Amino acid sequence: MSSLINKNKKRKCIALSCKKILLEERINKLTIAQLAKEANIGKGTIYEYFENKEDIVLELNTLLYENYRENIYEKIEKEKDYREKIKLFLTLIYEDKFNCHRKIFKKFIGITYSSENNSIIEFQRNWYKENFEYLKVLIKESSENKRLINNDINVDELVDSIINTMLGFFLLSFFTKSISETQHDIKKYINSIYKK
Amino acid sequence: MSSLINKNKKRKCIALSCKKILLEERINKLTIAQLAKEANIGKGTIYEYFENKEDIVLELNTLLYENYRENIYEKIEKEKDYREKIKLFLTLIYEDKFNCHRKIFKKFIGITYSSENNSIIEFQRNWYKENFEYLKVLIKESSENKRLINNDINVDELVDSIINTMLGFFLLSFFTKSISETQHDIKKYINSIYKK
Amino acid sequence: MSSLINKNKKRKCIALSCKKILLEERINKLTIAQLAKEANIGKGTIYEYFENKEDIVLELNTLLYENYRENIYEKIEKEKDYREKIKLFLTLIYEDKFNCHRKIFKKFIGITYSSENNSIIEFQRNWYKENFEYLKVLIKESSENKRLINNDINVDELVDSIINTMLGFFLLSFFTKSISETQHDIKKYINSIYKK
Amino acid sequence: MSSLINKNKKRKCIALSCKKILLEERINKLTIAQLAKEANIGKGTIYEYFENKEDIVLELNTLLYENYRENIYEKIEKEKDYREKIKLFLTLIYEDKFNCHRKIFKKFIGITYSSENNSIIEFQRNWYKENFEYLKVLIKESSENKRLINNDINVDELVDSIINTMLGFFLLSFFTKSISETQHDIKKYINSIYKK
DNA sequence: TATGAATGAGGATTCATTCAT
DNA sequence: GATGAATGAATCCTCATTCAT
C-alpha cells in the first residue's frame, strides 16, 4: 500500500521535472533522455511509472490543474459577491502567478487536439463536467441576487455557453489579445449577462 | 508569371494529397515519404514547394478554410433573416459535408498550440479579424430589426464574445457533446442574446 | 573557334561566381543551386561547362592562381636585389590584397587532400614544377651576387627545400602564427641561407 | 570511474573501425551506416561516443599519431648521433610500416583545411608545439657536437623552419616525388644545415 | 544552347524502448 | 527496483543530376 503511495509520489516527481523542460521547449522536443536527466533518474525508470510521453504530460497537466483549482477555489470562496465570484472564476488564470500553468495548459491543448489518447479525452470531459457543476452553483446563487438579463434562459444552457466562452477567451489569449485586454473583456462579458 | 500560377496550383495539389493521410493519421504520423507517394511525386519535389511539414498543413488548412468560407458565405447570403444568418455562421461547420473540414481544422488547432510557427500564428490572427468583421456586420444588421436583449452592450464586445463562444463550442464538440447537441445549443445561445 | 573562346569565358564567369560563396562557406556547403543563382544561370547550364563541383573549384583556383602569379611576378621583376626577389616570392601571398586568394587556396588544399581528382593532382604537379623553375633562376642569380652559406649545396636540392618550406609556412599560417609573424619568419629563413 | 575507461576504450574501438574504411574511401564516402557495420554496433551507439563524423576521424588520427610518435621516439632514442636523430625524426614517417598512418594523416589534412572544427585546429596547434619542443632539444644537442652551418641563427627560427620544411615535404610526397626520393632529399636537406 | 522542375538515392541524426546487470 | 548502454527503425532533408521543353 505504501508502495503505491510511493509510486504515486515518484510519478508526480517525474512529471514535475517535465515542467521545466516543457516551459522551454515544444512537446516533441521533450525527450525521455532529457527528462530522465532533469529528474535525476535512469531512462528505464521512467517506464516503470509511465506508459509513454503523453502520459507524463497528462500527469503534469493534472497536477498543475489541481494546484490551480485549489488556488482559485480558495480565492473565489473569499469573495462574497457572486457575480464577482464568476468573474474570478474566468479571469484568475490570467494572473501572473499562473503564467507557467497557462503555458503548460496551452501545450496540453496542443496534445489534446493532435493525439487520440483516451486518458486525455477523459481528462477533457472531466474538466468540462467539473467546471459546469461549479459554475452552475455560482450562477444559481448569483441569479438570486442579481437578476440575469435574460429571465427565460435555461441555466444549464447559460452555464454551458459561459464555459465555451471561457475556453474561447483562453485560446485566443495566446494570439489575438494581451492578457490584460482578455481579462477586461471577460469582465465586460460577464457583466453583459446581468441587468444593470 | 504563368509559372507562379502553376507553382501555386502544384502547392494546392500537394497540400490536398496531404488531406487524405491527415484524415486517417495524426500529424506526427504524416511523413514526407507517405505524402510524396500519395501525391505521386518525388520527396524532393515537396521541398521545392514547401519549407517543411507544418507549411503543408497550413496550406491545406487554408485551402479548406477558404472553401468552407465560400460555402457558408453563399448560404448565409441566401438567408434573409439576420438572426438566422448568425446562427448559420456558427452552426454550418457542423453539417455533414464539412466533416472532413472539421477533422482537419481540429488537427490544425493541435499544431497551432504545439508549434511556434509564425505563419500559423498569422493565420489565427487573420481568422479572428475576418470573423470579427463579418460577424459585426451581421450583428449590426440584426440588431436593427431584432432588439438585442442587452441594449447597452458595446457591439464590438458582443461580437468578440460570440466569436470566443463559437470557438469554445467548436473545441468542445470533439469531446463533450454530439454534433446535433452542439448545433442545438449554439442556436439557443444565439437566441439568448435577443429579446423574445 | 570563337565558340570555344566564349565557352571559356563562361567557364571563368561561372567559376568566379563560385568565389563569393566559397569565401563564406565550406566546400561541401557550396551547392550547384546556390552557384547557379549567384551566376544568374540555370542549374543545367553549369553541366554544359563543368563535369562536377571539384572541376569548378579547380577552375576558380586556377584563375586566382594565375592572377596571383601575374601580380607577384610583376612585383618581383621590379625588385633588383635577388635575395629580396626571393623574399617577395615567398611572402607576397601574405599581403592583404591576397586575403581572398589565400582563403580560396586554403579550401583548395582541403579538396586536394580529400579527393583523388586527377586534374587536381595535375594542378599540384604543375604548381611545383613552375615554382621550382622560377625559384631556381632566382637562386642562381642570387648566388652569383650573394654567397650562399652552404657552398657545396646542390642548387636543385636547395630550391626544392625552399619550396617545401614555403608550403609549410603557408599551411601553418592558418593555425599557428599570425600573418605578420609568418612574413617575418620567412624573411629570417631566407636570410639564413646566405652568408652575412 | 571504470565506466569512463570503458567509454574511452569503446571510442578507440569505433575510431579504429573507421580506419579500414578511410583507407579505401575518401572521407565524404565514409558513412555512419558503414562505420556502424564495420564496428559491429548500432548506428545510434556511435552517437553515444561521438558528436559527429569529424570527431571520429579526429580520434582516429590522434590514436594513429600517438602510436606513430611512440614508435619513432623509441627509434630516435636508440640512435646516438644527433644529426641522425633529426634525420630519423623527419624521415621515419616514410617507412612502409607507416603507410596506413600516412594515408590517414593525408585525409586528416584534407579535413583540416576543409572544415572549421575547433578540436581539429587545436590538434594542429598541439602538433606544432610538440614537434617544436622535441626538435628543439635535438637541434640543441646536435649543435653542440656538429657545428651548424649558420652560427648566428636563432635556434627557434631554425627549428621553426625545419618543421615547416618537414610539413612541406610530407605534403608534396603525395604528388611530386616518390617516397624514396623524398627520404633522400630530406636527408640532404638536413645535412645542408650542418658544416661539412 | 539554356533551362529549371522533378527527382530519389542517400545520409545524418534522433530517440523511444529494451534488457542485462 | 533502478539503471543506462545499446539499439535501429524511422524521418527529415539535401542536392547532384537529368531531361523535356
Side-chain angles (χ1 to χ4, degrees), chain B residues 99-148:
Chain B
N99 272 347
C100 290
H101 293 68
R102 258 199 335 273
K103 278 187 187 169
I104 300 295
F105 294 165
K106 181 193 171 192
K107 307 236 173 176
F108 186 69
I109 289 170
I111 300 174
T112 302
Y113 289 88
S114 297
S115 96
E116 236 106 71
N117 184 304
N118 282 323
S119 313
I120 288 179
I121 293 175
E122 196 53 31
F123 179 89
Q124 294 294 359
R125 292 224 171 95
N126 282 333
W127 175 87
Y128 178 81
K129 272 187 219 163
E130 261 181 50
N131 280 274
F132 186 92
E133 295 308 331
Y134 189 80
L135 186 59
K136 194 172 173 179
V137 174
L138 296 185
I139 288 289
K140 273 184 170 166
E141 295 287 346
S142 81
S143 62
E144 282 164 23
N145 309 316
K146 326 272 175 182
R147 288 159 305 153
L148 290 174

Side-chain angles (χ1 to χ4, degrees), chain C residues 56-67:
Chain C
I56 304 171
V57 180
L58 175 56
E59 176 75 24
L60 171 65
N61 193 67
T62 305
L63 279 176
L64 289 184
Y65 181 65
E66 277 166 7
N67 169 265

